[in-house]
Amino acid sequence: MSVARPRDEGSGSLFPGEGLSRGRDRESPAGEPRPDAPLADRVRPRTLDEILGQEEVLGPGRPLRRAIEQDQLRSLILWGPPGSGKTTLAFVIRRLTKAHFEAMSAVLSGVKEVREVLRAAEERRRREGRRTIVLIDEIHRFNKAQQDALLAHVESGAIVLIGATTENPSFEVNAALLSRSRVVVLKPLAADELLSVLRQALADVERGLGGLDAEVDEEALAFLAAAADGDARTALNVLDLAVTTAIPGEDGRRRIDLAALRQAFARKALLYDRAGEEHFNVISALHKSIRNSDADAGLYWLARMLEAGEDPLYVARRLQRFASEDVGMADPQALVLAVAAQQAVHFVGLPEGALALAELVVYLAAAPKSNALYVAYGEAARDALETRADPVPLSIRNAPTGLMKELGYGKGYRYAHDEADGVAGMECLPEGLAGRRYYRPTDRGREKDVAARLEAARLIRQRKTAGPARG
């Protein structure tokens, strides 16, 4: 579909190749990115058909695609990891829409700038009857007051909001604003899709690297497509660095092998936010992998956290919790090892301390599992909070004074060590909870032996409490 380009280009600076009023020094006279712009900007898709990897939301006949093509867009929150195409999609929308388009970054703009844009949008709507689309990149960085400033204008239709974010909008965007917008989830590109992007960039003479006569090994391209984690921007910028810095051979060709591309890639920056959703996703993956006795997966998720810069003591605390919650009495030694691992990490630090945590992960994965303690404590806590707080039975109360003894404190107490079998016939729960059983051991690992001992003691107490059988 062909749509006329807008006369008013807006005032944002997120698209240096599209004639915006700021950043014109980075543009050619025709409004396209200059040759010295980053490769990811030069080869950015200009049509919906050129966008790869988002067929679920932009495929033919999809509602969002139809809305864009018909210039009937409503407010959106674009949520996806870096390099998944959030800014690219906004770039394409800007090229297709007849509406005025404003682009701003939440990092650089405050309430004053937002209000100026909103005031102008209201005036434009009143005078021209023309809509304004406002793109706010990294909208999760706006505070509550800044997001609230948008709310009334979104609700009235004065602006169409496009918010782009790498963070979970259910945590970072005001509920009221979220309810008035459609959340569009963009996925990281698959490796084969990234390969297509890289090959197109290498072949594109006009905007890409086609004029440099580069020859990149397929093995090197496959490595880059996998290592970029679905981030097209990262993959293109690494390719750009490798090709432009390669020394041409005698025949003028620039040859890039796997070693050269690895060197250009340097150290991989893992997608991870110690305070955001990915933090909780990865620690959940670690916990659940070990619970499923998968040591290999546990080691991988451990490495994902530590190599991304997570506090190793946080990991140690979570593994100590696992030792009690998921292993428990099936292997009481697990908690001992968890405490030892925490002490080792605290003492030696990283990178050496990572091995102590790795040892613990493997031990916990291999250990027999039981959540009987977790369930038992939960039920006991619920009864403690929700049932009547009955008095402690007199027989097991402490009686340090004469008055307390006169009142019956400690009366009927039987010292278990004086019993032949080490168990006295007393009820130790409050009267209203007598006979309640919270801890129900499994037959896994050491807990099977614990279960047998506890059951034997319960039967002895039951027999002694009932008294001698009547003839």
Side-chain angles (χ1 to χ4, degrees):
M1 176 179 178
S2 177
V3 179
R5 289 283 302 281
R7 294 186 302 277
D8 189 340
E9 295 290 354
S11 60
S13 60
L14 296 178
F15 309 118
E18 282 298 301
L20 300 172
S21 61
R22 292 197 291 268
R24 289 185 181 275
D25 59 327
R26 296 191 296 273
E27 302 166 5
S28 68
E32 293 296 329
R34 288 186 176 277
D36 59 352
L39 178 62
D41 284 337
R42 301 202 309 269
V43 301
R44 189 188 298 278
R46 292 176 288 187
T47 69
L48 292 172
D49 289 331
E50 291 180 0
I51 297 177
L52 297 179
Q54 308 301 340
E55 285 75 14
E56 286 188 21
V57 294
L58 293 175
R62 297 289 183 179
L64 178 57
R65 184 183 182 114
R66 292 201 307 270
I68 295 171
E69 291 175 337
Q70 296 169 14
D71 202 8
Q72 295 295 322
L73 196 66
R74 297 294 182 265
S75 292
L76 303 172
I77 301 294
L78 303 179
W79 174 29
S84 57
K86 300 182 296 297
T87 305
T88 292
L89 178 54
F91 173 91
V92 172
I93 290 171
R94 182 178 178 278
R95 290 175 62 91
L96 295 178
T97 186
K98 294 178 182 178
H100 177 88
F101 195 101
E102 289 280 352
M104 57 201 322
S105 169
V107 176
L108 303 175
S109 304
V111 172
K112 180 181 178 181
E113 291 83 0
V114 172
R115 286 176 176 164
E116 288 176 357
V117 168
L118 297 177
R119 190 180 304 112
E122 289 280 11
E123 184 69 13
R124 189 176 301 109
R125 185 189 188 199
R126 184 178 63 82
R127 289 186 175 183
E128 307 173 24
R130 188 180 179 196
R131 297 189 311 158
T132 299
I133 297 176
V134 179
L135 167 67
I136 300 180
D137 195 28
E138 298 191 85
I139 192 172
H140 60 275
R141 295 184 181 271
F142 267 179
N143 59 34
K144 186 178 185 298
Q146 291 169 310
Q147 292 187 28
D148 284 344
L150 300 168
L151 185 58
H153 299 271
V154 170
E155 191 167 36
S156 69
I159 67 168
V160 174
L161 172 67
I162 302 178
T165 178
T166 57
E167 302 296 326
N168 189 326
S170 61
F171 299 147
E172 304 295 339
V173 179
N174 289 355
L177 191 58
L178 199 60
S179 70
R180 291 161 176 80
S181 308
R182 176 186 173 188
V183 177
V184 176
V185 180
L186 300 182
K187 299 179 178 179
L189 273 65
D192 59 335
E193 293 162 345
L194 274 180
L195 273 174
S196 297
V197 170
L198 295 172
R199 288 173 180 145
Q200 288 173 15
L202 284 170
D204 190 330
V205 176
E206 179 187 356
R207 297 186 294 153
L209 302 170
L212 296 181
D213 204 12
E215 182 180 307
V216 184
D217 290 351
E218 281 297 312
E219 182 184 21
L221 284 178
F223 157 76
L224 181 55
D229 281 341
D231 186 334
R233 185 185 298 108
T234 293
L236 287 167
N237 288 339
V238 170
L239 181 66
D240 191 18
L241 176 64
V243 170
T244 55
T245 58
I247 300 175
E250 293 182 0
D251 58 357
R253 295 186 66 78
R254 300 169 186 254
R255 292 179 172 82
I256 295 93
D257 58 13
L258 177 59
L261 206 49
R262 282 185 184 274
Q263 189 174 18
F265 194 81
R267 179 176 173 83
K268 179 175 178 176
L270 293 172
L271 174 62
Y272 192 78
D273 182 349
R274 286 174 58 176
E277 184 194 7
E278 194 65 8
H279 162 84
F280 296 104
N281 287 342
V282 177
I283 191 61
S284 175
L286 173 63
H287 198 124
K288 290 169 183 173
S289 297
I290 305 171
R291 178 182 290 155
N292 203 40
S293 300
D294 190 336
D296 298 305
L299 287 170
Y300 171 77
W301 294 118
L302 172 68
R304 275 279 294 269
M305 298 189 79
L306 296 181
E307 296 303 317
E310 180 57 80
D311 179 1
L313 291 177
Y314 167 79
V315 180
R317 289 193 297 272
R318 289 298 300 252
L319 293 177
Q320 286 178 350
R321 170 186 169 181
F322 184 95
S324 297
E325 178 180 330
D326 286 277
V327 176
M329 293 301 296
D331 185 355
Q333 188 66 23
L335 183 57
V336 176
L337 187 62
V339 173
Q342 179 261 325
Q343 291 176 334
V345 170
H346 182 69
F347 184 66
V348 302
L350 292 178
E352 293 86 352
L355 292 179
L357 293 175
E359 178 181 347
L360 177 58
V361 163
V362 173
Y363 187 94
L364 294 174
K369 309 295 192 297
S370 170
N371 72 339
L373 280 177
Y374 177 77
V375 173
Y377 183 78
E379 293 180 3
R382 185 167 60 250
D383 277 352
L385 292 170
E386 298 178 2
T387 65
R388 176 181 171 181
D390 287 336
V392 174
L394 287 172
S395 60
I396 57 173
R397 293 190 193 185
N398 192 29
T401 69
L403 175 61
M404 296 170 82
K405 290 179 181 179
E406 290 176 11
L407 293 175
Y409 282 44
K411 184 178 180 180
Y413 174 65
R414 301 289 297 273
Y415 189 50
H417 292 293
D418 289 341
E419 303 290 325
D421 41 26
V423 179
M426 294 186 303
E427 177 59 66
C428 296
L429 278 168
E431 183 178 354
L433 297 174
R436 188 70 60 94
R437 298 183 67 178
Y438 299 111
Y439 181 49
R440 296 179 289 277
T442 70
D443 61 354
R444 294 188 287 273
R446 294 281 300 277
E447 197 163 41
K448 183 176 182 179
D449 299 330
V450 173
R453 293 197 299 271
L454 291 176
E455 179 62 15
R458 187 183 69 84
L459 292 175
I460 293 171
R461 286 197 309 275
Q462 190 178 60
R463 173 173 53 82
K464 291 184 175 182
T465 302
R470 295 183 180 179

